Amino acid sequence: MPYISQYQYYENGGNQPENANWGSYQYVSLYDIVNNFMLMYSGNHSLVNNEERYKVLFHAKRGIQELNYDAFKEIKILQLTVCNTLRYVLPSDYVNWVRISMHKDGLLFPLTENIQTNWSSAYLQDNDCRILFDHTGEALSPQYSELDFDRITGGEKSIYLNSNSPFDGMMGYCCDGYWYFDYRIGARYGLNTETANANPTFSIDKKAGVINFSSHVANESIVLEYVSDGMENGDISSITVNKLFEEYIYAYIEYAILNSKKGVQEYIVARARKRKSALLRNAKIRISNIHPGRLLMNMRGKDKWLK
Amino acid sequence: MINSVRNTVLSILNKNNYGYISPADFNLYAKQAQLDIFEDYFYQYNYQLNKENVGTSGTGYADITKGYEEVINIFSETKFLAHQFNNKFFTPSPITTNDNYYLLNKVLAYTRLLASGVNSAVTPGQLDDLVSADFVADGVQVGDIVANTTTGQVAFVGQVINSQELELINEDGTVADIFTASPEGYAIYDDAIVNEAEKVTQSKITMLNNSMLTAPSTLFPAYTQQEPLLTLFPASINTVGAVQCQYIRYPFDPKWTYVNLVGGEPAFDQSQPDFQDFELSISDEPTLVLKILQYAGMSIREVAAVQFGQALEAKEDQDEK
């Protein structure tokens, strides 16, 4: 990829979208990585020789995917309104979630993953609890399981200390519009901190590709922070790697090829593995960007007295 | 060089009046000898690379590999491939590229189509589309590839005359007259956006195409070979002018030509239209002589000539290791 002029960078040469090149210098493209690897690490005098380019491409993409899961720290964020179904369809490039929040009154309320399930599939049954089948032999299913129905209609009780809690409506005190309860009269001796959260909860149905929320999230705005695999929906020209990881990717490809190749001496494979691991450590330290200026605000609280 | 080789061979053969070979026989032996040496270049090149890898080869004047690369490059050609249909292109052949190929070294795919349409007028050495073209807005620049999709001819943009007229040139800078009728289709490719297509075996291509991560794309194209066709992937690479090939062709058959007999001997005449000299480097002349000598010796049943050729060639091979 050639270097571009300032005009190209800031205004995309007068084309749309204007921001196409903003920040692009941080990254090296997949195309460049494969091209550079074939040029510099593969050939007559290299450890890797006579390997197909598609293998290099495969390992490059796999390496980028792995980096995207944690090392890159590149979080994608999608805000959507959840309707009465209390369902948030996962983004098309979703791999795993980082944080889910409710955007309300100008604040982000972090939501908690429900330790219990709040969704289920179900089959229709007769009075003898026998499953009902259709003419093709498939079990008949209702639109909602009982669990889903109760959750969507607000009838489901929650072990969390929110408005669906069994404690809701019991004696307590109200402060700034929120109800607080010290204990359940006559029975409760302490607090289960795991479930002590007033915000709504969610549970992810991975196979169905949805996040199911507890009641009271209907028509609320939900912000999903998640990680993808960096494959940019199959658009190869958009796949990039942060330059801090460039050398690691070359090392990873080299290692992956040598490791799966017959007849390569073990010490060469071990050398490649060590190089790859060392470069990954270095790159992770670099990208965590730990420097005094960043720690300053946190360190200012070090002398604070704990009461 | 061919006359020198022939004279040397005849001189050795006629020693003690052993015999004589006719021009027709000489041409046959010369072809075999040239092919033999030509193919040996590649084995020698590989041998030298292996020597480099084990550190027993030198640099500078001792860089034998470089010499082999240079002689092999004598036979290097870079030409656009003729289009059959869809994503299929003909391999180089006497019909499509005027030569036979020994190996396809590199297949290049031009994937950025700048403009296409039909010409509306005929001007020698130009592409005129006065109806619908806007070559300037399309980003057509000097050096871009212009293909006549009707006749299959390819040229380059020599000058953007205006938004509807382009001056066309051949690779050597001469005027390219590839549009001689109207309407004829054209396609213009950006010469700067070129990617190398990778050769993939027939046994792998189906899986490769079905692979999420490695399916051929315009950035990483691939091709399979099934003579006399190359099939390019992705299938969107499907127009003449989109595929260029760098390959090593076979040397042309040498032909020692003459016009008439002078004193019973044919007199060498290199002005004949079918004259063809050896294409090998001058340093291969001794090997050519020795190889032809062996064929000629067999022809006249003169064992001494054969053995002489074999012994010297073996010594030469040994010296060059």
Side-chain angles (χ1 to χ4, degrees):
Chain A
M1 189 175 287
Y3 291 99
I4 57 176
S5 68
Q6 298 282 53
Y7 180 53
Q8 280 284 341
Y9 178 79
Y10 284 109
E11 300 193 8
N12 194 18
N15 300 314
Q16 291 296 328
E18 186 186 44
N19 62 357
N21 295 317
W22 293 355
S24 60
Y25 200 68
Q26 299 168 85
Y27 300 96
V28 57
S29 69
L30 172 68
Y31 180 78
D32 279 344
I33 283 170
V34 174
N35 207 38
N36 291 343
F37 186 89
M38 295 302 290
L39 202 58
M40 299 299 169
Y41 294 90
S42 170
N44 287 326
H45 307 305
S46 304
L47 288 175
V48 175
N49 194 14
N50 289 331
E51 283 295 340
E52 290 87 353
R53 186 181 62 192
Y54 62 75
K55 286 190 181 176
V56 174
L57 177 63
F58 172 79
H59 291 304
K61 283 188 168 181
R62 283 294 302 117
I64 292 171
Q65 284 179 321
E66 291 294 331
L67 290 176
N68 269 276
Y69 299 147
D70 51 12
F72 275 169
K73 303 181 186 300
E74 289 190 7
I75 308 295
K76 291 191 164 193
I77 305 173
L78 181 66
Q79 182 170 15
L80 288 176
T81 300
V82 172
C83 289
N84 294 330
T85 54
L86 301 177
R87 198 176 63 187
Y88 184 113
V89 179
L90 296 174
S92 58
D93 55 351
Y94 170 92
V95 171
N96 200 7
W97 66 281
V98 176
R99 187 163 46 200
I100 298 174
S101 312
M102 183 170 68
H103 187 223
K104 190 174 184 181
D105 302 329
L107 278 176
L108 279 174
F109 293 86
L111 305 188
T112 310
E113 186 178 25
N114 201 320
I115 58 172
Q116 296 180 316
T117 187
N118 66 6
W119 54 271
S120 156
S121 55
Y123 296 133
L124 292 179
Q125 292 170 288
D126 63 12
N127 289 336
D128 296 326
C129 296
R130 295 172 65 86
I131 294 173
L132 302 178
F133 300 94
D134 65 10
H135 67 286
T136 64
E138 296 297 319
L140 292 168
S141 295
Q143 184 183 5
Y144 296 115
S145 65
E146 216 172 303
L147 194 59
D148 278 322
F149 184 80
D150 282 352
R151 176 173 58 84
I152 293 167
T153 55
E156 184 72 12
K157 291 296 180 188
S158 172
I159 60 170
Y160 288 81
L161 296 180
N162 55 28
S163 55
N164 282 79
S165 166
F167 299 107
D168 196 52
M170 296 192 173
M171 290 185 68
Y173 55 90
C174 180
C175 181
D176 295 335
Y178 289 93
W179 283 92
Y180 296 89
F181 302 90
D182 289 333
Y183 50 86
R184 188 173 188 176
I185 303 263
R188 191 174 179 85
Y189 302 98
L191 183 70
N192 181 6
T193 54
E194 190 180 9
T195 57
N197 192 300
N199 294 332
T201 60
F202 66 90
S203 181
I204 300 179
D205 184 351
K206 291 177 184 169
K207 280 289 178 189
V210 294
I211 305 171
N212 290 307
F213 289 95
S214 59
S215 311
H216 307 292
V217 177
N219 301 316
E220 297 289 356
S221 183
I222 297 296
V223 175
L224 169 65
E225 295 167 69
Y226 67 101
V227 287
S228 185
D229 64 354
M231 290 297 104
E232 304 298 339
N233 208 21
D235 179 7
I236 293 178
S237 62
S238 301
I239 298 174
T240 55
V241 177
N242 192 297
K243 280 178 178 168
L244 301 178
F245 287 88
E246 184 177 354
E247 198 58 36
Y248 164 72
I249 281 287
Y250 297 139
Y252 174 84
I253 299 168
E254 189 177 56
Y255 164 71
I257 290 175
L258 292 173
N259 191 40
S260 59
K261 197 169 183 173
K262 204 168 97 177
V264 179
Q265 296 94 325
E266 189 53 37
Y267 74 92
I268 290 180
V269 178
R271 193 171 77 196
R273 185 174 57 241
K274 282 179 185 170
R275 179 166 172 265
K276 169 198 77 129
S277 303
L279 284 168
L280 180 60
R281 274 196 300 275
N282 282 352
K284 277 183 169 178
I285 291 168
R286 279 179 180 172
I287 205 148
S288 38
N289 227 3
I290 300 170
H291 55 77
R294 244 187 136 155
L295 292 173
L296 190 62
M297 289 302 283
N298 305 59
M299 296 300 286
R300 278 182 175 149
K302 70 181 167 47
D303 296 326
K304 200 163 66 178
W305 283 39
L306 294 175
K307 292 179 182 176
Chain B
M1 184 161 85
I2 193 167
N3 195 41
S4 164
V5 170
R6 183 172 182 273
N7 288 340
T8 312
V9 169
L10 285 181
S11 169
I12 298 169
L13 273 186
N14 273 325
K15 188 81 177 166
N16 299 329
N17 289 323
Y18 280 151
Y20 172 80
I21 56 169
S22 67
D25 283 348
F26 173 80
N27 287 337
L28 288 175
Y29 304 150
K31 177 186 173 183
Q32 296 305 315
Q34 181 171 249
L35 282 175
D36 205 359
I37 295 170
F38 171 76
E39 195 165 27
D40 199 43
Y41 284 156
F42 298 89
Y43 291 101
Q44 287 297 324
Y45 180 61
N46 189 47
Y47 176 76
Q48 293 300 331
L49 282 178
N50 289 334
K51 283 186 78 174
E52 279 185 9
N53 279 335
V54 293
T56 59
S57 184
T59 56
Y61 293 127
D63 193 347
I64 310 296
T65 315
K66 197 173 170 185
Y68 278 110
E69 276 172 4
E70 283 174 3
V71 291
I72 289 172
N73 280 335
I74 294 172
F75 304 96
S76 171
E77 297 281 347
T78 303
K79 292 180 181 173
F80 286 92
L81 296 184
H83 181 228
Q84 192 204 34
F85 70 95
N86 292 345
N87 54 340
K88 295 183 188 303
F89 294 81
F90 288 103
T91 52
S93 69
I95 298 170
T96 59
T97 55
N98 297 321
D99 47 27
N100 273 311
Y101 75 92
Y102 175 74
L103 68 86
L104 302 178
N105 188 45
K106 199 164 68 171
V107 174
L108 301 172
Y110 293 90
T111 51
R112 187 175 175 207
L113 182 68
L114 294 172
S116 61
V118 291
N119 67 337
S120 60
V122 177
T123 307
Q126 283 190 197
L127 165 60
D128 297 344
D129 181 358
L130 308 174
V131 178
S132 58
D134 190 345
F135 297 134
V136 175
D138 291 336
V140 177
Q141 294 181 330
V142 172
D144 287 338
I145 299 150
V146 180
N148 183 327
T149 55
T150 306
T151 65
Q153 293 170 286
V154 180
F156 300 91
V157 177
Q159 184 191 347
V160 181
I161 300 169
N162 55 48
S163 61
Q164 293 173 324
E165 293 175 285
L166 300 176
E167 180 188 283
L168 305 181
I169 56 171
N170 292 311
E171 208 165 11
D172 58 5
T174 56
V175 174
D177 203 9
I178 64 168
F179 291 95
T180 55
S182 176
E184 285 181 336
Y186 69 84
I188 303 174
Y189 285 95
D190 188 342
D191 73 321
I193 308 295
V194 57
N195 291 304
E196 188 173 338
E198 180 181 32
K199 184 175 183 178
V200 178
T201 59
Q202 297 285 359
S203 58
K204 294 277 187 188
I205 190 64
T206 311
M207 288 180 280
L208 193 71
N209 276 323
N210 290 335
S211 163
M212 277 271 285
L213 290 180
T214 59
S217 61
T218 51
L219 280 182
F220 300 107
Y223 73 90
T224 56
Q225 191 172 356
Q226 188 172 320
E227 284 298 327
L229 294 169
L230 300 184
T231 306
L232 270 289
F233 299 94
S236 59
I237 303 173
N238 57 10
T239 318
V240 63
V243 179
Q244 195 180 37
C245 182
Q246 186 262 324
Y247 59 96
I248 303 299
R249 66 166 172 79
Y250 276 108
F252 296 125
D253 294 348
K255 191 156 190 186
W256 187 87
T257 50
Y258 62 98
V259 270
N260 49 19
L261 299 175
V262 177
E265 275 288 310
F268 178 55
D269 180 6
Q270 61 180 5
S271 64
Q272 292 295 308
D274 56 345
F275 168 76
Q276 178 62 55
D277 202 352
F278 286 113
E279 292 192 278
L280 307 180
S281 73
I282 294 171
S283 61
D284 285 315
E285 186 171 331
T287 319
L288 275 172
V289 169
L290 294 172
K291 284 188 180 296
I292 296 171
L293 198 57
Q294 290 172 55
Y295 288 118
M298 281 302 294
S299 170
I300 61 173
R301 299 190 179 189
E302 184 48 63
V303 179
V306 177
Q307 287 173 341
F308 174 69
Q310 283 175 337
L312 276 187
E313 197 184 349
K315 185 175 182 309
E316 197 175 86
D317 284 348
Q318 191 58 39
D319 291 344
E320 289 177 359
K321 293 292 182 193

